[in-house]
Amino acid sequence: MIGAVRLIYEGAFNLFEGPMRWLQRSLGTQRMVWVFLLPNLLIFGLFTYLPILLNAWYAGTSGDRILLGDRPWVGAANFATLLDCESYLNPNSCRRDLFWRAVHNTGWFVVLQVGFMVLLSLIAALILNRNIPLKGFFRAVFFYPVLLSPVVVALIWKWILQRNGVLNAGLDWAGMGTVNWLLDPNWAFFWIVFVSIWANMGFYVLILLAGLQAIPSDVYEAAEMDGTPAWRRLFRITLPLLTPTLLVVMVLSLIRAVQAFDEIYVLTGGGPGSATLLLIQYIYDVGFATRPRQFGLAAAASLMMAGVLMVLTLAQLAATRKRGEDG
Amino acid sequence: MKHTLTISALALMAAGAAQAQELRFMCYQDGVECEAWADAFATFEAENDGITVIVDEVPYAAIIESLPVQLEVGEGPDLARVTDYGGLARFLLDVRPHVSDAASIDARYGQSLAWSRVGDNAADGIYHIVDQLTATGGFANATLFEQAGVDMPGPGATWDEWAEASRAVRDATGVDFAMAIDRTGHRFAAPAISYGAALFDDDGHALVIDDGFRAFSEQFVGWHADETMARDVWAGAGGGTYQDAAGEFINANLVMYYSGSWQIGRFDRDIGDAFDWVATGGICGPAACTGMPGGAGIVGFNHTQHPEAVAKVMEFIARDDVQAQVLARTRNLPANANLQAEGIAYEGVSDDVAAALTAFASSVPGFSDTAFALQGYQFNRAVYTTIPARITQAIVGELSLDEALERLEQDVADAIAAAQ
């Protein structure tokens, strides 16, 4: 049976051998690489680069029609509208105040979410890297929320945080009074950061754990023999050797934080008011949720966001490279 | 001989195929509308040999999101059941040239026909037939009023009177909320008009923020500050997101709920005998006692290969006997003037439901012209989605009411300008 399968498998591959040899003879070895790359490039071009180009084109048009031919060309007008501000620090002074509120909210969200996420992930990874009881169980506990759909995560937390939710029931039972967690702008913002960390932390803990386990144990053994205290081992061995992994975690979590949408949309809908409105939701609202749909404005906002993300990513990569060269 | 027979049979089949006209009808339903129409079309097909109507039931989201995209690229069904007449106006088929008695349709559906006569559409075109007229209005939990020993405001009562009575009931019974209004500009518009909002300028452009609009906005924000209104509904979401409070009303946690006639079936099903509820009809402000009309209707599309057949379907849908039969099953309000006058013999409804349907139906003739004009306004969706976004900012204190209203006016103007 196994022999038959093997024969079929080999036969299938041999089917390609003839045409491939012919192709290589016709194109030459140098050009042959394009034959293998082409299918991937085509798929990538069709589903990634073409949409980016279309997005850029849409950003220069206006109207609510979908077909590009029906959309009047307005050049940079959509960008000018978004950037029309007396002071970028005061959204109320901007023509598109909601865009700038979303920019401010996203900025704070990224700073708080990425900062706390990296810190908490690091602490969790350090603890889970030690020989503690039920280590496997706790690793699973941290990773479990990553497996959940963002909508499920948001619905679970909505049931916990709403007026008659689990948290308020507990507080009420303890005689501490209740709070409308999602109706107060500050609390709502706190909870979107918290829930986002809760939902994504496991993924970064896993990456950091892998980084920690890659540090050779003999370095620690030597430090221990020298009588180096634990805090010094952390700051002089663990963190420096973990830096490349930490930078990866920071880049990934930063990109993901800027792209945050689904959990927050289900949990707060961007409210109360615009307290938890982030950039992606603004783009979604303008382009799809409100009528008439302003695809041009949404496309311009998404291009601006992509630009900022690219700058941040390049800056982090440059920092990594510099560190590599220095180190 | 054998060949001749075969060729003749093929020719007959080809001729038959050429005559057979299959129409696709994209349908969404709140209750049993699609089933009722599918059954009714059996009669249509029997009367119109060669025309078949296939009903494709889809979720409402498909009507709102997928259908416009399909139409934009020249695809999509021949007919659909829709609510956004203004947004779809340029794709709609004017069946007037193809129907046998256009004057009769005008006479019976006159007021609602105007909803799709917008943009470049003909001023006398027949583009849709409403099969589910809706009216906004209030619902009150009669059992809570009884338990609280508070007299329920009667017909013609004002918003202030309802607010005062609802607060008294809430305080006496300990429920969470006195009043709630669905989070959409459509629901907000009715009390705003009742407070004197004109909404349109002299050229027919919305949105005008006048004293009436400002007065109700101020009242509405104030009712959130003093907790007369359920804060969870408007402050609990952002942007133009729709949110209702039906769940709170069904759970007897809300004294008075301003929504619309489409909730009747749901309340009948979900509340059952748990408590008594009544429809309040129109609630009055200083200027009017209007609600907002609205509702679903059936449209044909101008890309269809069979405009005459679509027109035949539309004329069938508009017939009094057909509408009466379908409405009796779907428990919806008629847009047909004859049926409004005669009334509908709804099948198997409880006394609560019958009373509510009557209350809503009788409130429609008193609706203000401004309310009908807004429902037929091409850019009404811009108004409906912008109002909650901006008014909520005033409710939560992000903007002052003056700033919010200024932004609201600008947003609607920007959205309309961008669409033109």
Side-chain angles (χ1 to χ4, degrees), chain B residues 17 26 61-62 75-76 120 129 131 294 299 306 372 375 395 404-405:
Chain B
M26 186 188 268
E75 298 290 329
D120 295 332
I129 301 295
D131 72 332
V299 298
H306 313 293
F372 276 96
Q375 184 57 22
I395 290 170
L405 293 178

Side-chain angles (χ1 to χ4, degrees), chain A residues 18-31:
Chain A
M20 284 295 167
R21 280 185 189 284
W22 175 80
L23 261 177
Q24 193 166 337
R25 268 199 307 275
S26 314
L27 297 173
T29 318
Q30 292 291 320
R31 289 190 195 129

Side-chain angles (χ1 to χ4, degrees), chain A residues 50 61 64 93 97 132 179 219 226 254 261 276 290 295 309:
Chain A
L50 183 64
T61 61
D64 65 343
S93 71
D97 63 322
I132 56 168
V179 179
V219 185
D226 290 343
L254 187 127
F261 170 64
T276 58
T290 54
F295 299 122
L309 256 182

Side-chain angles (χ1 to χ4, degrees), chain B residues 83-99:
Chain B
T83 54
D84 184 11
Y85 308 104
L88 298 176
R90 65 177 184 271
F91 305 113
L92 303 185
L93 175 73
D94 180 6
V95 296
R96 176 175 284 275
H98 309 295
V99 295

